Amino acid sequence: MARIVKSGLIQLSLAKTEGEGTIPEIMEAMLQKHIPYIEEAGRQGVQILCFQEIFNTPYFCPGQDSAWYASAETVPGPTTERMQVYAKKYNMVIVVPVYEKEQSGVYIILLRSLMQMGPI
């Protein structure tokens, strides 16, 4: 018998753009903008929810603007911990793409990473 898996994708415009706020303010505004959509996906029974690449900032990678390196965070970290709450609440997998900061010796390595939150 076929198994149906309900999935969803959230892709949003920026809540604040460069010049309208600091990097932490832009990141928080994007998280807040996603929450109603996460809640709606949960109410609709979505089992796998995906966000756009580096969902909580502008997609700065092609321009290599080093100012955005400040948006890198550890994993686990503040964004992944917040998304775990929703994954648990709705028993869904959430694919959370963030700009990851990894400490390695004396060098900081910055990665574009996908975190999976939720049941396996």
Side-chain angles (χ1 to χ4, degrees), residues 29-68:
M30 285 304 290
L31 277 170
Q32 292 302 318
K33 189 172 181 178
H34 278 74
I35 289 172
Y37 293 93
I38 298 166
E39 296 275 5
E40 182 59 27
R43 284 190 292 273
Q44 290 188 27
V46 168
Q47 297 163 290
I48 301 172
L49 183 61
C50 301
F51 296 165
Q52 68 210 39
E53 187 172 7
I54 309 181
F55 81 101
N56 56 352
T57 67
Y59 188 74
F60 60 89
C61 299
Q64 295 297 307
D65 183 347
S66 62
W68 288 100

